[in-house]
Amino acid sequence: MLETSARLLRLLSLLQSRREWSGPELAQRLDVTARTVRRDVERLRALGYPVHAAPGTAGGYRLGAGAALPPLLLDDEEAVVVALSLRTAARASVEGIEETSQRALAKLEQVLPSRLRHRVQAMQAVTVQPPGPGPNVAQDVLTTLGAACRDHEQLRFDYRDHGGSTTRRSVEPYRLVHHWRRWYLLAYDVERGDWRTFRADRIEPRTPTGPRFTPRELPEDAASYVAKGVTQRVYRYQARIVLHVAPGFLESNGWTGFGTVTALDDGTCELRTGSETLEALAMYVGMLGVEFEVIEPPELSVRLREVADRLVRAADASQERAAADAP
């Protein structure tokens, strides 16, 4: 009985690890006959696990979705990753997810072996996540957007822009992107005939979803496209700045990525970024800590001179005060 139970758990773990298995593959993994595999599959079905089987040489076994969530079998590394992800999710920008994440984490930590629990607690003790300003997104909104992206179904929603005005949109949704503590939907706007980036917290989906669509080719990597949109296009001032550093220098020195960097040659690259004010742009590029020159906008060069003069005056005043206070 113990051997059979252990084998059933092993079979369940295999079915959860891959979408589909052939009978001979499972028999080889379990070191049993194909007949034993069939009997064990029937035992799992009797326990409520929806194991689907397709006959023939091209057939196999697949664990389907049932009416209730069956127990999941996780190895050590998977358990640690899930626990750490739940701790992070408890502080994520998704409305109502904190309590749900804490409940799930409590259930998981209750059954974690002590060696794994210590690993999770050690990681948590030394990990600091800064408080994140920004709006939360309702769980049901993210679920609706994600399902529409997965199933290639057109989506209709009311969208509230930066000024508070609301418009009706009809889009082909492609990807959800989490960038700078906000969720964005990358979609093809059917009526406007172009790609658009939408803040998920400003979306109110309408049901039911629309018909299925044939996916178009993405203009570029989804994360890069969204990053360009939220760090450049939406701002009043758009900046192009040549940085006199080798490509990859900023990333290797902890650059946070507010903007996009393109290599020009072995020793220079171009930064494209944006801001609502020239002051913020001047301070941002100044804090990069590298030599640079402004291509556009030309007003930024003037503001850089003003900021530099102010900083020099502040430094001179500090030196004068220190000299006056010296014995």
Side-chain angles (χ1 to χ4, degrees):
M1 180 63 70
L2 290 176
E3 181 181 349
T4 301
S5 299
R7 192 175 63 246
L8 286 179
L9 289 174
R10 174 62 175 156
L11 173 59
L12 181 59
S13 178
L14 289 171
L15 290 172
Q16 290 176 347
S17 67
R18 209 168 80 183
R19 180 173 179 80
E20 189 167 283
W21 291 86
S22 69
E25 285 178 319
L26 290 175
Q28 182 179 11
R29 288 295 189 97
L30 299 171
D31 195 22
V32 296
T33 64
R35 182 179 179 182
T36 300
V37 169
R38 290 193 295 269
R39 286 202 303 264
D40 287 348
V41 166
E42 290 301 325
R43 292 189 178 100
L44 288 178
R45 288 170 177 163
L47 293 172
Y49 294 96
V51 182
H52 304 302
T57 55
Y61 295 99
R62 177 171 58 87
L63 185 63
L69 179 67
L72 297 175
L73 299 178
L74 304 174
D75 62 27
D76 286 4
E77 298 302 322
E78 292 168 342
V80 171
V81 168
V82 171
L84 292 175
S85 299
L86 286 171
R87 286 188 181 274
T88 303
R91 300 185 296 268
S93 54
V94 181
E95 185 177 301
I97 201 174
E98 296 88 354
E99 182 181 352
T100 306
S101 301
Q102 292 289 1
R103 289 202 312 268
L105 180 60
K107 293 179 181 179
L108 180 59
E109 288 190 336
Q110 186 176 1
V111 297
L112 279 178
S114 60
R115 67 181 189 281
L116 299 184
R117 190 181 305 112
H118 292 326
R119 287 175 60 184
V120 172
Q121 292 173 348
M123 286 293 297
Q124 179 63 19
V126 299
T127 301
V128 177
Q129 184 168 332
N136 290 337
V137 184
Q139 294 185 57
D140 58 344
V141 171
L142 277 184
T143 301
T144 299
L145 300 182
C149 293
R150 178 198 62 199
D151 299 334
H152 304 306
E153 292 179 344
Q154 285 191 10
L155 193 63
R156 297 176 300 119
F157 56 82
D158 295 327
Y159 188 70
R160 187 181 70 259
D161 63 19
H162 182 71
S165 301
T166 301
T167 57
R168 182 75 52 81
R169 299 298 184 99
S170 179
V171 304
E172 297 174 354
Y174 279 78
R175 296 288 187 274
L176 277 172
V177 178
H178 192 247
H179 181 80
W180 278 71
R181 303 186 184 279
R182 286 191 173 95
W183 288 94
Y184 296 91
L185 172 68
L186 173 59
Y188 186 84
D189 193 312
V190 177
E191 296 178 354
R192 291 164 175 75
D194 199 4
W195 294 93
R196 291 288 189 272
T197 298
F198 302 94
R199 276 205 7 206
D201 59 289
R202 296 177 178 172
I203 292 177
E204 292 186 15
R206 289 181 166 268
T207 55
T209 54
R212 287 180 174 270
F213 61 88
T214 301
R216 305 169 189 266
E217 184 176 353
L218 290 169
E220 58 182 295
D221 173 73
S224 299
Y225 187 87
V226 170
K228 288 181 180 179
V230 302
T231 60
Q232 298 173 47
R233 305 187 192 103
V234 298
Y235 292 107
R236 177 183 177 185
Y237 294 102
Q238 314 293 318
R240 290 176 55 220
I241 300 166
V242 173
L243 307 177
H244 293 279
V245 292
F249 175 85
L250 293 182
E251 291 85 345
S252 63
N253 285 272
W255 182 59
T256 56
F258 195 79
T260 58
V261 176
T262 305
L264 298 178
D265 53 43
D266 292 342
T268 59
C269 48
E270 181 183 88
L271 168 66
R272 288 177 177 259
T273 187
S275 179
E276 286 298 310
T277 66
L278 291 171
E279 186 88 4
L281 272 178
M283 296 302 296
Y284 176 63
V285 297
M287 289 188 299
L288 291 177
V290 301
E291 298 293 324
F292 66 89
E293 57 184 293
V294 175
I295 305 301
E296 58 183 38
E299 314 96 276
L300 179 57
S301 298
V302 177
R303 187 55 53 89
L304 281 169
R305 174 65 67 182
E306 295 172 353
V307 172
D309 291 343
R310 187 164 67 245
L311 294 175
V312 168
R313 290 194 298 271
D316 290 344
S318 297
Q319 289 180 345
E320 292 174 1
R321 181 183 296 275
D325 293 340

